[in-house]
Amino acid sequence: MSVIWVSPPSQPLLGSVELPYSKSLSNRQLVLGVQTGEPFRIEGLSEAEDTRWLVQALQQIGYVVGRDGEVWSFWPPKVYPKRVELFLGEGGTTLRFLLPWLARLPVESVVQVAPSLQRRPLLPLIEALQNAGARLQVGPMLFPLRIQGLPDWRPSHLKVDSSVSSQFLSALFLLAPHLPEGAVIEELSERPATVSYSEATRALLQQYGWIWVPTAKGWYLQKNYPPSGPISFKGERDWSAASVFFGWAALLPAQLELPLQPTELQPEYRLFSALPWPYRMEQKGASLLLEHAGGGLTPLALDIRDFPDAALVLSVGSAFAEESSQLSGVGTLPYKESHRLQALQTELARIGVQLTWDAETLRIHPTSHRLREEVVFDSHGDHRIAMALSLVAARSEAPIGIANPLCVRKSFPGYWEFLAGLGVKCTFAV
């Protein structure tokens, strides 16, 4: 088992961080691109593991992929294969976004995924597609999935329950180029999950002329001069991946430069622009200057329903706040790469922090003691758990270990190297 040892910084964190491109946005751009059936380009594509699985799947289906520096080009196949076997790893977004596209290709697809992804919610999306006429056949425990694509499949009415994952709704939104104008998506849940993420998908589509207009029960599709030929997309640096650096800047002296700009396509921008933690932000052109402002951490009382990917950084930071914090809207956290509430509870208990939760609210009761002995945390194979737990080193007097640290490749492949470049000693051990 590999472990990375993160030593308490002895000096302020200084330097620039070359954040990865947003995998969330890249995956949406990729799937919107293939839904058009035209060649397309993306300037600034995520190289996270999830996005790599998606690009690999497109290549297996016949897409030709070219790269010139930061610009990636994608050309659809002239002839599709009759049958493909796709392995999508742990890519939850990859799996969910691809299914509606596969359902309309002239291809028989057999889809398999890693065991950890098999445990995550998918059935409501499968049922939404099946009820709309798509031909999906499930195997034992859902996998392998078999999809017999129907090129003439153009449903005018889809129904979905997105109460456990906004990606179900986003996957259907991304069908827009293939649907008839006036097509309807009906939301079956009274409380859809993470509305901000599905709204980001809707905002991306609207930029290109596919407008999902809200109704009392869902949305209908309006086409406002969508492109008739190739699309060019531009990626954005990842505010979600940057969340851990906002944690570092809140916990200890730091002067960081991050390649971030305001955006409507990544909801974490709104969160960290207003978070009452002791850091200062200043926008300088294409860069965000982030600096520790001094003082202790204010306890939080936040609804994070729109920012679930930031929940772990907020929780670990709050472990060192002056009083207890409360985060509401945590209902989707058990369904991520790990049961994130249980994982946090187990790992933070090692340093005397108590976590309690119910269906929608997490409470963090902080510790008043600095860690003086080495401790090894388990990442639970979860990229966001691993990065968030590294923040414990900011308030420790001894190195901390994190097991299975390379799981960060799922969203931020270079995290440990960039952290070391800022002055935090990171040592791998086996």
Side-chain angles (χ1 to χ4, degrees), residues 182-195:
V184 170
I185 297 176
E186 183 179 343
E187 173 58 69
L188 300 178
S189 170
E190 294 183 0
R191 298 194 70 183
T194 323
V195 172

Side-chain angles (χ1 to χ4, degrees), residues 191-365:
R191 298 194 70 183
T194 323
V195 172
S196 60
Y197 289 174
S198 55
E199 285 297 288
T201 307
R202 203 161 68 90
L204 173 65
L205 284 156
Q206 184 161 333
Q207 289 180 357
Y208 294 91
W210 292 286
I211 303 170
W212 285 102
V213 180
T215 67
K217 294 185 177 180
W219 299 265
Y220 74 89
L221 178 61
Q222 189 177 90
K223 297 189 176 184
N224 186 16
Y225 304 108
S228 57
I231 294 179
S232 291
F233 298 103
K234 190 169 180 62
E236 296 179 354
R237 300 292 179 172
D238 196 347
W239 276 87
S240 180
S243 64
V244 68
F245 294 103
F246 286 89
W248 284 106
L251 288 166
L252 47 65
Q255 290 183 333
L256 305 176
E257 182 177 351
L258 307 175
L260 294 173
Q261 298 183 61
T263 174
E264 65 173 342
L265 300 179
Q266 299 185 66
E268 289 80 11
Y269 159 67
R270 301 197 307 273
L271 171 66
F272 289 105
S273 297
L275 193 67
W277 272 1
Y279 57 72
R280 289 187 289 268
M281 294 170 46
E282 181 182 0
Q283 195 71 45
K284 288 275 188 161
S287 295
L288 182 74
L289 305 183
L290 183 62
E291 183 179 14
H292 181 63
L297 267 71
T298 303
L300 300 177
L302 287 178
D303 185 338
I304 62 162
R305 195 177 314 275
D306 286 342
F307 324 103
D309 285 347
L312 304 184
V313 165
L314 298 177
S315 298
V316 175
S318 295
F320 304 102
E322 298 164 347
E323 299 176 16
S324 296
S325 294
Q326 179 171 297
L327 305 178
S328 59
V330 299
T332 62
L333 295 188
Y335 308 110
K336 302 294 185 177
E337 285 80 349
S338 66
H339 189 310
R340 288 181 172 168
L341 298 176
Q342 288 182 355
L344 274 180
Q345 182 186 56
T346 299
E347 302 312 315
L348 291 182
R350 302 179 194 277
I351 58 171
V353 177
Q354 182 183 8
L355 269 67
T356 59
W357 71 87
D358 53 32
E360 284 296 328
T361 303
L362 172 66
R363 299 170 184 84
I364 305 105
H365 307 285

Side-chain angles (χ1 to χ4, degrees), residues 125-158:
L125 177 58
I126 292 175
E127 292 175 342
L129 296 173
Q130 289 175 329
N131 292 337
R135 293 174 61 183
L136 281 77
Q137 180 182 347
V138 300
M141 303 299 291
L142 293 186
F143 292 93
L145 275 175
R146 299 179 186 274
I147 305 103
Q148 179 57 63
L150 302 172
D152 295 330
W153 182 64
R154 299 180 76 236
S156 59
H157 193 153
L158 298 123

Side-chain angles (χ1 to χ4, degrees), residues 3 21 23 26 70 180 193 198 235 244 259 283 295 372 374 400 424:
V3 175
Y21 286 101
K23 77 178 180 72
S26 286
E70 292 280 89
S198 55
V244 68
Q283 195 71 45
R372 292 184 169 84
E374 293 181 354
I400 65 162
V424 181

